[in-house]
Amino acid sequence: MTESASARHWAVPFYAHTVLIQAVTFVLRPAAVYRALELDVSSYWLGALGATFAIVPLVLAVPAGLLSDRYGERPVMVAGGLVTIASATGFLLLGQSVAGVVATTVLLGVGHLLSVVAQQAMVANRTPRDRYDSAFGHYTFAASAGQAIGPGLIIAFGGSRAIPDTEAIFTATLALSAALLLAALATPSTHDRRDARGPVEGSIRDLVRRKGLLRALTVSCVVLAAVDISLVYLPLLGAERDIASGTIGLLLALRAGSSMISRLMLGRLTERLGRPLVLTGSVTLSALAMAAAPIPMPVVLLGLVVVVMGLSLGAGQPLTMSWLAEATPPGLRGRAMSLRLTGNRLGQVVVPSLAGLVAVGAGASGVLWVTAAALGVVAAASRSIPRSDPNP
């Protein structure tokens, strides 16, 4: 088999798997909320529903990375597919109760975690070091595409109703989950391609001690939290400024689309300017855009600000993945990516909670300005992230 044919043999099922896990997740999470509304749950249970998706993987992320390092990525991807199928089945069979919806949301979070840890480790282990930025840019582009495709099922089964046909969504998602498992089974593992010296021994403590790693994890955490905050507080800003919901929807679409563009072009950009400059520059631009968004301005100008926000926020995640992959030996990359996901999940739980406290007194503008300040701090911190040294 030629090198290009081998690459296609790996890339086709891998990118199918990447798109599918995001599509399944981004349709099941809102569908679970709609099902909870059908069950007339309290706001407490709605909050618990969001928290269970992120909190349980906090405990399982590092063990998932360890399994990926020891046994290869494909077994972990297959396990993620099986758990995701169990989640989709659970929504169909147990979704008539609040406890059932919460339990199956936990399974969804675990299935998503297993899949993503294995995917990121596979990109790190399959890609030459000089192509990390391009490879992780393409990977996150595919993930963004899945996140855009998933909500389309809600549109398809929702029509003009306030609450879509959740039973039909769960059934369709079960079929997508089966396709996800098939893609995992068809993806070659990299376990037999590792360095001939054998697996690298090391602990999470060893990883955390690597120079610059905590700074890179912090940058990743804050950037992802900023993305989540933009999804929640741009609509609130629109409500406060009497901007039509359709216009806000368009702005959110512009943010997502511009992030996809920056990820697709990331390899070329870092080749010209270097990863350190692109990372610091993108986080700085995102801080400036986040700070500018609450300033009263015409909607057209706000659209330009949101495009800049999307372009800059879109670059942060793949660049920190590239840095971690390059800084970590092959036998530890699964655990390195799991550490990054742990930090991201923690940020998704803690930062929006703190933002909610700010919003009580200062509204959406206060939240966006606080987030901009946090981005400014990590932009300064990113300047001192050293060039990667892959040697233990």
Side-chain angles (χ1 to χ4, degrees), residues 1 41 60 129 140 299 307 350 367 385:
M1 183 180 294
V41 304
L60 299 179
R129 290 183 60 196
T140 51
V299 172
V307 167
V350 173
V367 172
I385 294 178

Side-chain angles (χ1 to χ4, degrees), residues 7 11 84 97:
T84 305
S97 69

Side-chain angles (χ1 to χ4, degrees), residues 26 28 85 121 144 175 186 198 204 209 211 272 353 358:
F26 273 70
L28 276 181
I85 287 176
S144 297
I204 293 299
R209 288 175 176 172
K211 189 176 180 180
R272 290 188 177 185
S353 300
V358 174

